């Protein structure tokens, strides 16, 4: 079951839109411009890293920091953890 849920979440990350990123950033009061959201959505679509593995998540966030900023990448990491907590799967990100 966990593996299926992780596959679903990974699929969702690969298909997230800039509009959805903006929605979540506003929901959690995380500053994000539309231009940054577009870049992030594009990078996530092409991402080959496993966000559930600590090292894979770090590599993914480093790539996002390059195309946006370190602050934005940290904010996205917070967003990922908040969403995981909201859905009761935060232990998957340890």
């Amino acid at each position: 079951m966990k593996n299926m849920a992780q596959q679903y979440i990974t699929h969702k990350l690969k298909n997230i839109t800039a509009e959805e990123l903006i929605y979540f950033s506003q929901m959690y009061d995380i500053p994000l411009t539309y231009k940054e959201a577009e870049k992030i959505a594009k990078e996530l679509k092409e991402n080959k890293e496993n966000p559930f593995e600590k090292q894979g998540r770090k590599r993914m966030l480093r790539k996002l920091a390059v195309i946006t900023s370190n602050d934005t990448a940290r904010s996205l990491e917070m967003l990922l953890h908040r969403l995981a907590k909201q859905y009761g799967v935060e232990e998957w990100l340890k």
Side-chain angles (χ1 to χ4, degrees):
M1 184 64 136
K2 178 180 176 180
N3 192 34
M4 246 200 300
Q6 286 181 348
Q7 286 176 345
Y8 172 78
I9 293 167
T10 300
H11 174 76
K12 182 63 180 162
L13 284 174
K14 288 192 170 293
N15 293 288
I16 199 160
T17 65
E19 290 79 12
E20 289 171 310
L21 284 168
I22 292 293
Y23 170 79
F24 287 123
S25 72
Q26 291 172 343
M27 179 196 269
Y28 291 105
D29 198 29
I30 295 171
L32 187 66
T33 68
Y34 190 80
K35 193 113 179 128
E36 288 174 324
E38 287 178 317
K39 290 178 183 179
I40 292 164
K42 183 179 185 288
E43 179 61 35
L44 289 175
K45 187 176 294 276
E46 298 168 359
N47 178 51
K48 303 279 189 249
E49 302 295 343
N50 182 347
F52 297 102
E53 293 176 357
K54 189 174 186 173
Q55 292 305 314
R57 189 169 54 254
K58 280 184 179 182
R59 285 188 296 270
M60 179 183 76
L61 291 167
R62 265 189 248 128
K63 288 178 188 175
L64 293 175
V66 168
I67 63 169
T68 58
S69 70
N70 287 332
D71 288 341
T72 300
R74 277 191 291 278
S75 293
L76 289 170
E77 184 174 25
M78 277 190 340
L79 176 60
L80 185 59
H81 280 275
R82 287 180 181 173
L83 288 171
K85 184 176 182 174
Q86 178 181 335
Y87 290 101
V89 295
E90 63 186 314
E91 72 275 358
W92 294 357
L93 296 178
K94 296 188 177 186

